[in-house]
Amino acid sequence: MLENATGISHAKIILIGDHSVVYNQPAIALPLPAIKTTVSIAKRANHQQLFSSRYFSGSISEMPLDLTGNATLIKALLERFNAQDTGFELNIESDLPAERGMGSSAAAAVAITRAIYHFFDHSLSKKQLIDDANIAEHITHGNPSGIDVATTSSRNPVWFLHNQGSSELNLNLSGALVVADTGIQGQTSEAVNLVAEARRTDFDQTNAYIEKLGRLTTFARIAIEDNNLISLGDSLNEAQRLLVKLNVSHPKIDQLVKVALNNGALGAKLTGGGMGGCMICLADSVSSAVNLQSVLSNAGAINTWIQPFRSEELIK
């Protein structure tokens, strides 16, 4: 056992395939290593087990109901290492906003798992990491798809198809992505129900939109692997037009999309459930991304982040 240990994870967004993924179409999720969650553990001389985060600070045994997933994961890992009486303090620091479709709960679970394995000086395979992090996610989200844990623990884009699992894609892109928070909490359940109702009332038209979103996701995969930013941007723009037709966008998202496209973005769309939450836009360079970040902030985005596609492209 170490005196101190850390575990790091990061945010994710759905690049394309939002909503259509529910209906057996593919989706691509993108890791955002620039937006981190860090878990640190420090050994304590007594048997106290303490937890601290922006939501709660205190004993692990007294963690509130909405943190039951994290508490259950921690207890399960302590039992695995026969360390139920080990004293420590676990602290979570996260740049991820909650309930914005960026995988905040999955990122916490991944970072907790990595930190605890590090603390007990034990190796951790990718499969074990995903299995363990999903202990928390199954409690937090009931029946998660698994895409959040897969992407918050990966450095590469994740190709996801319902009931077939996920696989990593080769990231061969230049440029950068800008993520902007509208400041409006997304309404994922309401948006999903809205699309389901549209399929009931106008199946042919709605299904045509869904199938086209699936084809666009395949085009986006080819663009990612071929470093074709223009093609990727076109796919993102067309996906947004279809999501608007499915009534899952939001006036604030539409406004920020328009601002981004008017200021040099190659493509822009909502990400996740929609009806609020975040939007994303594609820039051909980090300098263009910095400009887009500024104009989106001036247009009312409450927070923005830049993710260069290539790690050597530093933000100056």
Side-chain angles (χ1 to χ4, degrees), residues 22-294:
V22 176
Y23 301 100
N24 299 313
Q25 298 294 331
I28 297 173
L30 194 71
L32 303 174
I35 311 173
K36 299 182 186 301
T37 293
T38 302
V39 170
S40 57
I41 304 179
K43 185 178 179 181
R44 292 179 62 88
N46 57 28
H47 295 304
Q48 278 190 305
Q49 297 176 343
L50 303 178
F51 178 97
S52 63
S53 72
R54 61 190 174 195
Y55 305 112
F56 169 79
S57 293
S59 171
I60 286 175
S61 63
E62 298 173 351
M63 288 170 68
L65 193 61
D66 56 357
L67 292 177
T68 300
N70 288 341
T72 302
L73 170 61
I74 293 166
K75 290 173 183 176
L77 294 178
L78 291 177
E79 288 178 6
R80 182 171 304 164
F81 293 113
N82 195 27
Q84 295 94 323
D85 296 326
T86 298
F88 62 86
E89 181 170 359
L90 184 151
N91 177 61
I92 301 179
E93 294 185 359
S94 181
D95 300 327
L96 283 70
E99 299 184 18
R100 292 294 191 274
M102 295 175 73
S104 61
S105 66
V110 168
I112 287 169
T113 302
R114 283 174 168 162
I116 291 178
Y117 270 78
H118 185 201
F119 186 56
F120 290 106
D121 200 20
H122 200 287
S123 62
L124 176 62
S125 69
K126 182 65 179 286
K127 181 182 184 303
Q128 190 65 61
L129 170 63
I130 289 174
D131 288 347
D132 287 344
N134 273 319
I135 292 172
E137 283 291 274
H138 278 289
I139 294 171
T140 303
H141 294 297
N143 186 28
S145 67
I147 194 169
D148 281 12
V149 166
T151 314
T152 58
S153 62
S154 173
R155 302 291 290 190
N156 293 311
V158 171
W159 174 267
F160 182 85
L161 195 57
H162 192 60
N163 292 327
Q164 293 187 29
S166 62
S167 59
E168 293 188 5
L169 303 181
N170 179 35
L171 180 60
N172 183 35
L173 282 176
S174 54
L177 196 75
V178 181
V179 183
D181 188 347
T182 64
I184 300 161
Q185 185 172 315
Q187 304 292 327
T188 299
S189 295
E190 184 177 342
V192 168
N193 290 336
L194 199 64
V195 175
E197 179 60 26
R199 288 182 85 242
R200 283 191 290 270
T201 58
D202 188 357
F203 178 84
D204 290 343
Q205 184 64 78
T206 304
N207 214 49
Y209 294 154
I210 289 169
E211 289 180 352
K212 188 168 184 181
L213 283 167
R215 292 194 295 274
L216 289 169
T217 303
T218 299
F219 296 154
R221 174 178 183 161
I222 295 168
I224 288 170
E225 294 182 330
D226 290 347
N227 192 20
N228 191 333
L229 287 172
I230 299 298
S231 176
L232 179 58
D234 289 344
S235 293
L236 298 183
N237 287 333
E238 183 59 24
Q240 175 62 16
R241 285 190 281 270
L242 293 169
L243 292 164
V244 168
K245 289 179 179 179
L246 288 170
N247 296 312
V248 296
S249 192
H250 185 280
K252 187 63 180 179
I253 291 175
D254 298 340
Q255 177 215 353
L256 293 180
V257 164
K258 184 176 180 180
V259 167
L261 294 176
N262 286 342
N263 285 273
L266 301 176
K269 62 180 285 291
L270 65 82
T271 179
M275 301 182 77
C278 293
M279 59 82 69
I280 56 174
C281 58
L282 183 66
D284 61 6
S285 66
V286 171
S287 60
S288 295
V290 171
N291 177 64
L292 284 166
Q293 183 181 42
S294 176

